[in-house]
């Protein structure tokens, strides 16, 4: 049956059907393997400098914003099953939020993730709302209260910035810093850091260029996910990604 041009939901379902067919054609075992359970992990390119297969696996939990422009699996160049995810408005990490706390505890204590990544982004609507003095309305004002607290705690720095876009980016960075501080005080996270070397990272997704910027926060600071200066190459049929100095660059063949 032809789709009505204004029925966006049916279009989305149709698009999903096409995507599922394409993924199954690429790899017939992809979805059956996903259905067996999740073991989220970012697979680094094989490194000849390590004898351990585990050294090439980086299981993460991603804490990010609900903004539709920040789909973690897409911007990381990964696949379903690679990342355990929790997203909310303005990527706020509040110690009293049982939803976020449950995700962190399950990811860290049960899935045994090796990395916790808190990622904010530029052009954030929550950041813009927190910088304003008007009420948003309803429960949103309550939800944004921690971000407004960040604003008031850094009032002098923010008020000195006259460019609105720069101010919004700065409060987004400060919000990530505040969230990382909450993560570092979380009992489950602290125990995992001490017992098995869990790493916590704070970063910012630059929507205007599509790149993630390490803010140098958390357990290892700037460049904590690097490859120790070595170079690795992942080659595909149409392009290749070169990892060098903690960065990945794609070149088209």
């Amino acid at each position: 049956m032809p789709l009505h041009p204004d029925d966006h939901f049916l279009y989305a379902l149709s698009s999903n059907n096409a995507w599922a067919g394409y993924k199954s054609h690429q790899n017939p075992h992809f979805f059956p393997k996903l259905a067996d359970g999740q073991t989220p992990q970012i697979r680094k390119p094989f490194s000849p400098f390590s004898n351990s297969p585990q050294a090439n696996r980086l299981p993460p939990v991603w804490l990010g914003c609900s903004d539709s422009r920040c789909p973690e699996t897409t911007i990381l160049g990964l696949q379903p099953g690679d990342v355990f995810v929790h997203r909310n408005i303005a990527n706020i990490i509040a110690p009293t939020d049982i939803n976020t706390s449950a995700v962190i505890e399950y990811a860290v204590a049960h899935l045994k993730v090796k990395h916790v990544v808190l990622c904010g982004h530029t052009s954030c609507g929550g950041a813009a709302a927190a910088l304003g003095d008007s009420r948003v309305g309803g429960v949103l004002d309550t939800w944004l209260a921690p971000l407004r607290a960040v604003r008031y705690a850094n009032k002098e720095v923010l008020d000195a910035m006259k460019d609105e876009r720069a101010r919004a980016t700065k409060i987004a960075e400060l919000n990530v810093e505040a969230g990382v501080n909450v993560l570092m005080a979380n009992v489950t996270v602290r125990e995992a850091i001490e017992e098995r070397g869990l790493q916590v990272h704070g970063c910012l997704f630059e929507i205007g260029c599509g790149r993630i910027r390490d803010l140098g926060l958390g357990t290892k600071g700037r460049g904590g996910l690097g490859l120790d200066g070595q170079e690795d190459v992942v080659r595909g049929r149409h392009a290749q990604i070169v990892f060098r100095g903690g960065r990945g660059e794609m070149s088209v063949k």
Side-chain angles (χ1 to χ4, degrees), residues 112-127:
K112 303 294 183 183
V113 299
K114 294 183 179 179
H115 294 264
V116 177
V117 181
L118 173 58
C119 188
H121 67 96
T122 57
S123 304
C124 179

Side-chain angles (χ1 to χ4, degrees), residues 54-231:
Q54 296 301 320
N56 292 318
R57 297 180 178 180
L58 303 176
V61 57
W62 177 276
L63 308 172
C65 182
S66 301
D67 194 300
S68 63
R69 299 166 295 176
C70 308
E72 68 297 320
T73 304
T74 301
I75 65 178
L76 290 170
L78 299 175
Q79 297 292 329
D82 286 341
V83 187
F84 192 66
V85 180
H86 176 68
R87 294 166 65 181
N88 62 41
I89 293 175
N91 48 272
I92 291 173
I93 306 298
T96 55
D97 177 18
I98 193 171
N99 189 346
T100 301
S101 298
V103 171
I104 293 169
E105 183 170 328
Y106 182 69
V108 173
H110 298 276
L111 292 179
K112 303 294 183 183
V113 299
K114 294 183 179 179
H115 294 264
V116 177
V117 181
L118 173 58
C119 188
H121 67 96
T122 57
S123 304
C124 179
L131 287 172
D133 296 318
S134 301
R135 289 194 58 184
V136 181
V139 73
L140 289 174
D141 287 303
T142 302
W143 178 256
L144 291 173
L147 189 48
R148 286 204 165 102
V150 168
R151 171 195 173 186
Y152 297 134
N154 297 275
K155 187 176 188 303
E156 186 175 337
V157 172
L158 292 169
D159 287 351
M161 304 176 72
K162 302 307 178 184
D163 183 82
E164 290 301 317
R165 182 172 295 183
R167 290 180 73 222
T169 297
K170 185 62 177 179
I171 195 173
E173 294 173 347
L174 292 169
N175 182 38
V176 172
E177 182 177 4
V180 167
N181 290 338
V182 173
L183 289 170
M184 295 295 288
N186 181 284
V187 174
T188 303
V189 171
R190 290 298 322 165
E191 289 178 348
I193 291 173
E194 295 167 4
E195 293 173 3
R196 57 182 180 84
L198 174 72
Q199 294 184 31
V200 177
H201 309 273
C203 53
L204 195 77
F205 176 52
E206 302 272 2
I207 289 181
C209 67
R211 296 187 182 277
I212 297 172
R213 174 160 53 90
D214 184 358
L215 297 178
L217 305 169
T219 52
K220 280 204 168 184
R222 196 173 305 278
L225 285 173
L227 297 175
D228 303 321
Q230 304 295 343
E231 176 176 305

